[in-house]
């Protein structure tokens, strides 16, 4: 109950922040929220389930393009567009995951990287359907139940989506499924010896996180009312991976910290070092993997531990 | 028909480059188990280094002839490979971290190298003159540019040398021993540090050579790295991961396939990379062990 109230308060605070910001700031803010949602689901896929997959942005892009194409070309109602998008994403993710679970580490990485590059090539040569390199625009969020949702109210919708993503992943992480994922990540043979169905667990983890990425993509489509291939490039995928590693692989809080730090960093270090932030991220990742493999979040561990001990003592009294 | 034979030669030549990229992966993978996706960036940097050292474009005062220039570039690449190992891999191996940690830290290196290349060489493709001129060499029904023939010859020599090294020299056997069992090899007196450093250095040299060869045909460009990484890895997967001869076979087949598809199928030239991508996915899903069977031990 307490954790539920904490979450509710956090979401309300995030919504409230949306009403305080100006138009440029709230654009940055909405994208930050979407990156956090992506970071959370990628953290589950990469950090908890141990699958080094470069396909996360494919599903983000798929969700965004599906909704845009549904509205522009197919004239579908919004609810149908969203539902069908998530359904197709789930089927596609499962179809990709079933053969890929046989692949380990670097093979999965390169297979999903290839998938991402093919997706980009497909978009770029999609002519009228996808708008090619310049992207697809000229649509807007249809009225929902008669209300036109825009500005901070749309930010609130994104906060809601982020909250949903967080709750789903948190529940999964704390369930036997989450523990099975971690067991497979740490030692697949041992996990299977304990009776865990490793392929099935991996497929489910890949499918759920990919659908969550598509969900984020659907919300992304209405941030700029434009979807273009540049947003789903390999560079973004690398940055997402770096965010999770920098924050702390395998921990929800770590993913959030990593996304916020790396997303906000360019705004602060750009005046100091110019356009070298991507290079700096690469160097930071090398340094952190070597010297702080548990990420930035591990710096807070002594504080968290002290609080937990204090709570325990209180409970004993 | 003449067109077809010329296509075979040029496809074979680009296939040789993919084989060399596969070899670059393999040189590190076999002894250490680490997959280094940054090899494509070595090739990109090798291309820019060649332009810098051999022409007056990037560093005007220096314009060495081809052979000394090549040696300088390859020496620089060896230093780079050793430095990357020392900075990004050694601390992890010392700590006993799993190979995937090294793979991730090398992804950080990949981005650093990519950005360094883009700053040093710029984001426009640098046109370079082919070092052996624009002539056309004919032999029987085949014909090709001197650059293609040079590429093919260099590749075959390197693969023969690598094969001889692994099969016929004590040093090569030491590499093999390390790839089979690091601990046992160390107990038998193999110097693990030396093997690891020379694996990373030679991998960078081979990839850098690919960059030099490419810069002689299509010019040096900061984005060739990722494509070469994909093509090299595909060559490995097609031929059979872990085998030197597999890398050669896979690369050449891929190069020929790419040339034939681009020539005879109605696909736009922007889709060139789709060929290795589709081949890679098909092999990983349908035949992950490649065409040649695995030698075991891996």
């Amino acid at each position: 109950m307490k954790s539920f109230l904490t979450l509710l308060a956090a979401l309300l605070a995030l919504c409230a922040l949306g009403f305080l910001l100006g138009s440029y700031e709230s654009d940055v803010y909405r994208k930050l929220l979407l990156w956090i949602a992506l970071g959370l689901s990628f953290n589950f896929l990469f950090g908890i389930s141990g699958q080094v997959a470069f396909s996360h942005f494919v599903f983000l892009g798929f969700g965004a393009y599906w909704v845009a194409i549904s509205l522009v070309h197919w004239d579908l109602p919004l609810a149908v567009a969203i539902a069908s998008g998530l359904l197709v994403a789930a089927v596609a993710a499962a179809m990709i995951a079933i053969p890929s679970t046989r692949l380990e580490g670097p093979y999965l990485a390169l297979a999903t990287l290839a998938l991402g590059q093919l997706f980009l090539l497909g978009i770029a040569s999609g002519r009228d359907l996808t708008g090619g390199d310049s992207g697809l625009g000229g649509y807007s969020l249809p009225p929902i139940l008669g209300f036109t949702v825009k500005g901070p109210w749309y930010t609130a919708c994104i906060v809601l989506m982020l909250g949903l993503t967080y709750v789903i992943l948190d529940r999964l992480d704390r369930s036997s499924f989450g523990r099975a994922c971690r067991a497979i990540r740490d030692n697949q043979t041992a996990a299977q010896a304990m009776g865990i169905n490793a392929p099935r667990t991996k497929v489910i983890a890949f499918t759920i996180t990919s659908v969550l990425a598509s969900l984020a993509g659907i919300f992304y489509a209405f941030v700029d009312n434009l979807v273009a291939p540049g947003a789903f490039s390999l560079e973004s995928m690398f940055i997402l991976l770096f965010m999770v590693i920098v924050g702390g692989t395998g921990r929800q809080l770590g993913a959030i910290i990593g996304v916020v730090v790396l997303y906000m960093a360019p705004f602060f270090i750009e005046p100091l070092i110019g356009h070298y932030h991507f290079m700096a991220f690469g160097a930071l990742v090398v340094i952190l993997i070597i010297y702080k493999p548990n990420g930035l979040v591990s710096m807070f561990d002594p504080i968290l531990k002290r609080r937990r001990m204090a709570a325990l003592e209180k409970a004993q009294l | 028909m003449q067109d077809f034979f010329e296509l075979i030669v040029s496809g074979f030549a680009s296939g040789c480059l993919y084989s060399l990229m596969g070899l670059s992966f393999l040189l590190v993978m076999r002894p250490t188990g680490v997959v280094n996706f940054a090899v494509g960036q070595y090739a990109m940097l090798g291309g820019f280094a060649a332009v810098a050292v051999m022409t007056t474009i990037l560093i005007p005062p220096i314009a060495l002839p081809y052979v000394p220039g090549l040696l300088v570039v390859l020496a620089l690449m060896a230093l780079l490979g050793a430095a990357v190992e020392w900075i990004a891999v050694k601390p992890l191996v010392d700590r006993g971290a799993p190979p995937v940690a090294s793979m991730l830290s090398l992804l950080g290196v990949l981005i650093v190298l990519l950005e360094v290349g883009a700053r040093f060489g710029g984001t426009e493709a640098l046109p370079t003159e082919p070092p052996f001129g624009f002539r056309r060499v004919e032999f029987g029904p085949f014909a090709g540019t001197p650059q293609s023939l040079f590429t093919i010859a260099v590749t075959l020599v390197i693969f023969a040398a690598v094969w001889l090294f692994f099969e016929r020299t004590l040093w090569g056997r030491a590499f093999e021993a390390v790839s089979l069992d690091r601990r046992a090899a160390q107990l038998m007196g193999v110097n693990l540090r030396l093997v690891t450093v020379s694996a990373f250095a030679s991998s960078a040299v081979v990839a850098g050579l690919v960059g030099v060869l490419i810069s002689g045909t299509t010019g040096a460009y900061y984005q060739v790295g990722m494509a070469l990484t994909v093509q090299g890895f595909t060559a490995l997967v097609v031929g059979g991961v872990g085998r030197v001869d597999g890398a050669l076979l896979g690369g050449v087949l891929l190069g020929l396939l790419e040339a034939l598809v681009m020539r005879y199928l109605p696909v736009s030239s922007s889709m060139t990379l789709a060929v290795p991508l589709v081949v890679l996915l098909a092999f990983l899903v349908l035949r992950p062990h490649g065409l040649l069977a695995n030698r075991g031990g891996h």
Side-chain angles (χ1 to χ4, degrees):
Chain A
M1 193 62 202
K2 196 183 156 212
S3 66
F4 173 73
L5 287 178
T6 317
L7 181 70
L8 201 65
L11 293 181
L12 280 174
L14 287 175
C15 288
L17 191 55
F19 285 91
L20 298 174
L21 297 170
S23 75
Y24 169 70
E25 283 88 2
S26 53
D27 183 54
V28 171
Y29 182 55
R30 280 182 210 141
K31 284 175 184 157
L32 172 64
L33 293 173
L34 285 168
W35 272 98
I36 294 176
L38 267 187
L40 287 172
S41 51
F42 186 67
N43 176 54
F44 197 94
L45 177 62
F46 160 70
I48 294 173
S49 174
Q51 303 183 50
V52 189
F54 285 92
S55 51
H56 219 54
F57 266 81
V58 174
F59 287 97
L60 178 83
F62 174 80
Y65 268 97
W66 181 275
V67 158
I69 291 171
S70 303
L71 293 180
V72 173
H73 293 297
W74 302 335
D75 288 324
L76 292 180
L78 184 67
V80 177
I82 292 176
S84 59
L86 293 179
L87 192 69
V88 176
V91 172
M95 276 170 57
I96 292 163
I98 288 167
S100 354
T101 46
R102 290 195 302 175
L103 306 173
E104 286 185 350
Y107 299 96
L108 179 68
L110 247 244
T112 46
L113 190 147
L115 195 73
Q117 297 295 94
L118 279 176
F119 177 72
L120 286 176
L121 285 174
I123 290 178
S125 57
R127 302 225 172 90
D128 286 346
L129 186 67
T130 60
D133 285 326
S134 51
L136 189 61
Y139 60 88
S140 58
L141 187 63
I144 298 166
L145 304 174
F147 295 101
T148 313
V149 180
K150 61 180 184 184
W153 295 103
Y154 188 59
T155 311
C157 290
I158 297 179
V159 171
L160 210 62
M161 183 274 296
L162 174 60
L164 183 71
T165 304
Y166 179 85
V167 170
I168 291 176
L169 293 172
D170 195 52
R171 278 293 168 87
L172 278 179
D173 189 16
R174 286 163 198 269
S175 69
S176 62
F177 179 77
R179 285 189 292 277
C181 285
R182 286 173 192 271
I184 294 167
R185 173 196 67 187
D186 293 337
N187 188 337
Q188 181 162 343
T189 318
Q192 283 177 309
M194 300 299 288
I196 294 170
N197 186 337
R200 203 183 70 188
T201 308
K202 281 181 175 177
V203 169
I204 294 174
F206 187 93
T207 308
I208 291 176
T209 53
S210 300
V211 170
L212 288 175
S214 295
L215 182 67
I218 289 170
F219 281 81
Y220 173 81
F222 301 106
V223 168
D224 294 330
N225 286 332
L226 173 78
V227 284
F232 313 111
S233 65
L234 195 57
E235 183 178 315
S236 309
M237 191 57 235
F238 267 101
I239 291 178
L240 186 65
L241 176 72
F242 289 175
M243 284 167 166
V244 170
I245 293 175
V246 166
T249 313
R251 293 173 67 174
Q252 303 253 57
L253 187 61
I256 296 172
I257 291 175
V259 172
V260 173
V261 168
L262 287 203
Y263 183 81
M264 298 310 288
F267 295 102
F268 294 105
I269 61 176
E270 188 110 4
L272 300 175
I273 60 170
H275 278 288
Y276 284 82
H277 53 259
F278 199 25
M279 193 191 293
F281 290 173
L284 182 65
V285 161
V286 176
I287 293 168
L288 280 177
I289 289 180
I290 292 170
Y291 295 106
K292 232 173 182 20
N294 296 325
L296 294 178
V297 68
S298 64
M299 292 196 300
F300 300 105
D301 279 349
I303 304 170
L304 291 175
K305 197 176 169 194
R306 217 174 305 140
R307 277 181 53 184
R308 202 169 304 144
M309 293 305 281
L312 262 179
E313 272 170 25
K314 221 167 122 188
Q316 278 171 345
L317 281 175
Chain B
M1 211 54 208
Q2 191 193 12
D3 170 64
F4 176 79
F5 285 114
E6 271 186 48
L7 203 65
I8 294 291
V9 173
S10 69
F12 198 94
S14 40
C16 282
L17 296 176
Y18 308 156
S19 302
L20 287 175
M21 289 311 297
L23 181 64
S24 176
F25 269 113
L26 206 55
L27 285 169
V28 167
M29 250 167 105
R30 284 237 307 214
T32 65
V34 173
V35 178
N36 179 9
F37 289 131
V39 288
Q41 310 307 323
Y42 291 155
M44 180 270 290
L45 289 175
F48 278 134
V51 173
V53 170
M54 296 177 197
T55 71
T56 54
I57 295 178
L58 286 172
I59 308 178
I62 305 174
L64 295 175
Y66 196 78
V67 173
L70 181 66
L71 292 177
V72 169
V73 172
L74 296 186
L76 288 175
M77 295 311 298
L79 284 178
L80 176 65
V84 164
E85 194 275 340
W86 191 68
I87 293 170
V89 179
K90 180 174 178 288
L92 295 172
V93 175
D94 287 350
R95 197 175 69 205
V100 71
S102 302
M103 182 179 104
L104 294 173
S105 110
L106 286 165
L107 289 180
V109 170
L110 185 161
I111 295 302
V112 172
L113 296 181
L114 172 68
E115 291 289 300
V116 167
R119 305 294 149 184
F120 174 67
T123 48
E124 301 286 315
L126 295 178
T128 46
E129 267 182 39
F132 309 104
F134 289 101
R135 285 175 295 120
R136 211 177 98 99
V137 182
E138 287 187 32
F139 47 101
F142 297 97
T145 60
Q147 180 76 25
S148 312
L149 302 178
F150 179 66
T151 300
I152 293 171
V154 167
T155 305
L156 294 179
V157 167
I158 285 179
F159 270 92
V162 169
W163 184 82
L164 277 176
F165 174 77
F166 278 126
E167 301 294 330
R168 292 282 179 272
T169 67
L170 189 61
W171 254 96
R173 302 317 295 176
F175 267 71
E176 273 304 293
V178 173
S179 72
L180 288 175
D181 188 334
R182 286 179 75 81
R183 266 185 72 78
Q186 190 173 25
L187 291 172
M188 293 298 124
V190 174
N191 186 338
L192 272 189
R193 276 307 299 153
L194 204 58
V195 167
T196 310
V197 171
S198 35
F200 272 86
S202 56
S203 161
V205 167
V206 171
L209 177 69
V210 172
V212 177
L213 292 171
I214 281 196
S215 75
T217 49
T218 53
Y221 184 47
Y222 85 110
Q223 280 192 330
V224 295
M226 215 59 227
L228 282 171
T229 293
V230 169
Q231 285 153 337
F233 200 82
T234 309
L236 271 193
V237 170
V238 169
V241 176
R243 298 184 55 136
V244 173
D245 47 357
L248 182 61
L249 176 75
V252 168
L253 285 180
L254 180 64
L256 290 173
L257 182 71
E258 207 176 275
L260 293 174
V261 165
M262 296 322 290
R263 174 70 183 80
Y264 292 109
L265 289 185
V267 279
S268 75
S269 63
S270 65
M271 300 291 280
T272 315
L273 195 59
V275 177
L277 292 172
V278 170
V279 171
L280 175 66
L281 285 177
F283 265 85
L284 283 178
V285 170
L286 301 175
R287 203 181 158 81
H289 297 298
L291 293 174
L292 305 175
N294 202 316
R295 276 214 318 203
H298 291 276

